[in-house]
Amino acid sequence: MTQVLPREIPLFPLGGTILLPGEVLPLNVFEPRYLNMVDDALKSDRMIGIVQTRPGGTLDRPDLESIGGAGRIGEHSETPDGRYLITLEGLSRFRLTGEADRPAPYRTGVADYAGFAADLDVPETLLDTDRQRLESLLRLWFANEHVETDWDSVAAAPLARVVDRMAMVAPFTAAERQRLLEARHVRRRLDVMSDILEHRIAEGANGSAN
């Protein structure tokens, strides 16, 4: 079945957060305009776009990165104090080409999915040598950063999923996450991640600050 992706999508601007295809992003929604956004999404196609903020704009209307991730609301619940706890299931990245003029308190993006058709396909298979290299780099970096993870789960998961999950949850900077998000496919994302990790490890070895 062909996935229909909306040309106009409500935007949830978040610094330091990305959503990749096939991944799940838990969100705690409490700001009134985004509660309104979730209500509207649940009544329609359940789609929300996650896009990082960047320097510029105003507090209420920050500048946004040009590429974000579209996801569908999966599980959702409302807390006694009126918050939404939702999970977004990543479907495809998009290029933000503009914003629609909508009578809503939140922003609505005009999304272009051209160039991201592969996001709807099964991730390509990566090699065992790729896994060994990535796990070695991650172990060194996590040791330097004093980050703990479940290495048995990492070893059991398909490498493409490890790459995308680490891109979302490992302690990368917002700029590094955006580089990973914009990598054309998972093979390129693995290369970008390896470059970032090698740079971070070299900085640590040289006594430089992260």
Side-chain angles (χ1 to χ4, degrees):
M1 180 178 177
T2 302
Q3 177 67 54
V4 177
L5 298 169
R7 181 173 179 272
E8 295 184 1
I9 187 168
L11 298 177
F12 200 160
L14 289 171
T17 301
I18 61 173
L19 176 61
L20 286 163
E23 292 298 325
V24 174
L25 177 66
L27 292 170
N28 176 12
V29 185
F30 54 86
E31 192 173 341
R33 57 180 161 173
Y34 298 123
L35 292 171
N36 185 280
M37 179 185 68
V38 172
D39 283 334
D40 289 348
L42 288 171
K43 293 173 186 174
S44 58
D45 58 10
R46 305 171 75 93
M47 296 290 291
I48 290 175
I50 298 296
V51 60
Q52 288 205 102
T53 57
R54 63 181 183 183
T58 65
L59 183 62
D60 286 338
R61 195 176 180 83
D63 287 345
L64 303 176
E65 294 286 357
S66 61
I67 293 177
R72 174 178 286 113
I73 297 174
E75 296 181 1
H76 66 281
S77 61
E78 190 170 359
T79 66
D81 59 357
R83 293 175 291 119
Y84 270 125
L85 302 178
I86 68 173
T87 58
L88 272 188
E89 301 165 354
L91 295 178
S92 174
R93 291 166 294 169
F94 62 87
R95 184 174 297 278
L96 185 62
T97 60
E99 294 189 39
D101 185 13
R102 294 282 185 180
Y106 52 86
R107 299 162 75 173
T108 299
V110 179
D112 180 4
Y113 302 93
F116 301 112
D119 286 0
L120 300 176
D121 297 334
V122 176
E124 64 183 292
T125 301
L126 300 177
L127 303 175
D128 286 342
T129 51
D130 296 320
R131 178 183 294 276
Q132 293 164 9
R133 179 188 180 211
L134 179 62
E135 286 192 15
S136 177
L137 291 171
L138 285 170
R139 285 179 183 275
L140 282 171
W141 183 45
F142 281 12
N144 291 344
E145 297 285 329
H146 307 291
V147 174
E148 295 184 0
T149 195
D150 182 352
W151 293 109
D152 289 339
S153 296
V154 170
L159 183 54
R161 290 276 70 89
V162 173
V163 171
D164 286 352
R165 175 56 20 186
M166 288 298 176
M168 290 180 56
V169 305
F172 294 112
T173 67
E176 289 167 341
R177 288 193 201 284
Q178 194 65 28
R179 281 183 63 195
L180 291 162
L181 177 70
E182 294 183 12
R184 187 169 180 82
H185 44 65
V186 69
R187 159 62 62 187
R188 178 58 184 153
R189 196 147 47 246
L190 172 60
D191 291 340
V192 171
M193 184 175 292
S194 297
D195 288 345
I196 292 171
L197 292 173
E198 287 171 350
H199 180 70
R200 289 290 200 95
I201 292 164
E203 280 187 335
N206 294 330
S208 302
N210 288 330

